[in-house]
Amino acid sequence: MLCQKFIRSVGLVAIILALFSFMGCSSAELGRDPAPGEVELFEDLARFYQSGSYQTLLKWVSEYEARGPFGSLYPRIINAKGLALMALGQNGEALAEFNQALKKVSGSPELQAEITHQRCLALFGLGKDLEALGCAKAVDPNLLSRAFQVDHRILVIRIQTKRANWVDAAVECLSTVRQAPESARAIAPLFKQTLNKLDRLSDLRLLFKEFSNTAITDQLMYRLAMIELREGSATDGEGLLRSLLLRFPDSPLSINAMRLLKEKRLESPAQGMRVGVLLPRGGKLSVFSDRVLHAIKMGIKTSPKNREKIAIVAEDSGETAEKALAGFERLVSEHKVLAVIGPVLSAGAETIAKRAQALGVPLISLTKRDLPEA
């Protein structure tokens, strides 16, 4: 039942477009000329398929097969018949039609790849997972249209998931989104299902190393952070949560990440705290910045309670908003500071204040501007 629901839901528009991809093709691409009435028949089949009139489509194809003659569109018409049968849940009959269509294809690797993709779907619908996987791997995705490439890779993900090949399924999810960012919305639920089955820290770390920058990497970062925290790697886990908030502020996981960071901050021991300082370290303000940094260090040293517990980490804020924000993010994600002092310039100060508030990082601004309250 799940297989059939998937087959009926994967890219109806893409299937229709591929089904009628002969429109606008040159005669060389089609091979010989279409037989009389084949073009008109295809236009009718398009309407039947799009409206869900599968039985009518099958009737018209049967009449066409009975009367002949067959022209260059014959493989595409048989492919249409297979699609209608598959939509009706008759995957075995559909498979036979796809096999027949493949025998008749000549001079069109693209059409052959598309029909083979439909054949893989029919095999999956029949529960022949291993055969469907072999079929899918035999297809060159570069021969498929972009929409069909995504549908084909979703099929591979479904097969790998059903066979409990969780790492392979995760790799396919991430590589699909990296190649086609527009597929993130369709892939995200599949990726979430896959990640919930991945518990080995080594697997998750390798995935993050390879796919650290995709539209669904936020899910991977959160899962890896949870496992790092569970295994006792609090520093790495909290660093991943901070990076998630910095890189994916609009992610649905940001609320959970923020809550966990605040909980961890309350649980953190006073020993070994790091405080970040954000100052312009170059140019005409460097002398002033050195004095400010020296004053901060002296203030900590004069406090017996803090001198052994707090380490100061300085980052360059530059003289632009972009550089200031980058310096703040380095302090939080790389140095994992518990609080930040600065910036001293107004450039980027408001943006940094909002980001600090979102991350739950205390900020002591040295600007003269009023900033949003944390």
Side-chain angles (χ1 to χ4, degrees):
M1 180 64 70
L2 289 174
C3 292
Q4 192 55 45
K5 286 182 179 178
F6 167 64
I7 289 169
R8 289 181 179 178
S9 65
V10 288
L12 174 60
V13 174
I15 288 175
I16 293 171
L17 289 174
L19 179 61
F20 303 104
S21 60
F22 78 95
M23 298 297 184
C25 291
S26 67
S27 58
E29 290 172 313
L30 290 173
R32 60 188 187 281
D33 292 332
E38 279 190 335
V39 173
E40 292 78 5
L41 172 62
F42 238 74
E43 291 172 349
D44 290 328
L45 295 181
R47 290 192 294 271
F48 296 149
Y49 194 95
Q50 194 165 11
S51 64
S53 302
Y54 307 126
Q55 295 291 359
T56 304
L57 186 152
L58 293 174
K59 179 183 176 182
W60 282 46
V61 174
S62 295
E63 293 175 355
Y64 158 80
E65 289 183 294
R67 69 173 181 265
F70 303 148
S72 61
L73 301 186
Y74 178 59
R76 301 174 188 269
I77 292 173
I78 300 306
N79 184 49
K81 182 180 179 181
L83 287 169
L85 288 166
M86 192 161 58
L88 291 168
Q90 301 174 33
N91 294 298
E93 294 85 344
L95 181 61
E97 297 300 329
F98 295 137
N99 289 337
Q100 176 70 8
L102 286 169
K103 291 178 183 178
K104 301 298 181 181
V105 174
S106 62
S108 180
E110 293 80 10
L111 177 59
Q112 186 175 25
E114 289 173 4
I115 297 174
T116 303
H117 167 70
Q118 315 300 351
R119 181 178 182 274
C120 302
L121 278 172
L123 287 167
F124 184 55
L126 289 169
K128 298 182 178 182
D129 304 333
L130 191 58
E131 193 174 346
L133 185 59
C135 172
K137 288 184 175 180
V139 175
D140 181 357
N142 295 320
L143 295 174
L144 297 170
S145 66
R146 190 165 181 84
F148 250 113
Q149 286 180 22
V150 173
D151 283 342
H152 188 72
R153 300 188 79 161
I154 287 176
L155 171 61
V156 174
I157 294 166
R158 291 284 191 183
I159 298 170
Q160 298 284 25
T161 299
K162 190 177 177 185
R163 293 181 58 78
N165 296 333
W166 307 117
V167 173
D168 291 337
V171 169
E172 197 67 34
C173 287
L174 289 160
S175 58
T176 299
V177 173
R178 182 164 64 183
Q179 180 179 336
E182 70 276 9
S183 69
R185 194 169 191 175
I187 297 293
L190 300 174
F191 189 47
K192 181 179 180 180
Q193 177 186 358
T194 300
L195 278 178
N196 288 338
K197 300 292 184 178
L198 288 175
D199 285 307
R200 291 204 318 182
L201 199 53
S202 58
D203 291 337
L204 290 165
R205 283 174 173 171
L206 284 173
L207 285 171
F208 184 58
K209 182 178 180 180
E210 176 67 22
F211 301 99
S212 61
N213 191 26
T214 78
I216 57 173
T217 295
D218 58 326
Q219 291 192 37
L220 177 57
M221 293 175 73
Y222 188 80
R223 180 63 174 172
L224 178 55
M226 294 301 96
I227 303 301
E228 294 278 13
L229 292 172
R230 187 189 72 184
E231 298 294 325
S233 303
T235 301
D236 292 333
E238 291 174 32
L240 283 164
L241 292 175
R242 290 191 180 94
S243 295
L244 190 157
L245 287 170
L246 291 169
R247 292 176 52 193
F248 300 94
D250 299 324
S251 168
L253 294 169
S254 62
I255 296 176
N256 291 341
M258 193 184 309
R259 175 180 55 79
L260 282 167
L261 281 171
K262 288 180 178 178
E263 289 176 358
K264 291 298 177 183
R265 183 170 291 109
L266 291 174
E267 297 170 1
S268 297
Q271 204 70 17
M273 293 187 296
R274 288 183 177 184
V275 174
V277 180
L278 196 55
L279 297 167
R281 304 307 304 277
K284 58 186 179 181
L285 294 175
S286 60
V287 175
F288 168 73
S289 296
D290 288 342
R291 292 175 180 173
V292 171
L293 183 59
H294 178 71
I296 293 171
K297 290 180 177 179
M298 289 300 296
I300 291 173
K301 284 183 178 181
T302 57
S303 173
K305 293 182 179 180
N306 294 330
R307 70 174 61 157
E308 301 298 330
K309 298 177 182 178
I310 298 177
I312 296 297
V313 181
E315 276 288 349
D316 184 11
S317 66
E319 297 183 19
T320 66
E322 292 77 13
K323 289 184 177 180
L325 182 59
F328 173 79
E329 292 184 349
R330 285 194 299 273
L331 287 171
V332 175
S333 62
E334 296 179 18
H335 301 294
K336 301 175 179 60
V337 299
L338 295 178
V340 175
I341 301 173
V344 297
L345 300 179
S346 59
E350 187 171 348
T351 300
I352 291 172
K354 290 179 179 178
R355 189 64 62 88
Q357 184 177 0
L359 295 174
V361 176
L363 180 72
I364 303 173
S365 176
L366 302 179
T367 68
K368 295 181 180 181
R369 255 173 125 174
D370 292 331
L371 299 177
E373 293 183 3

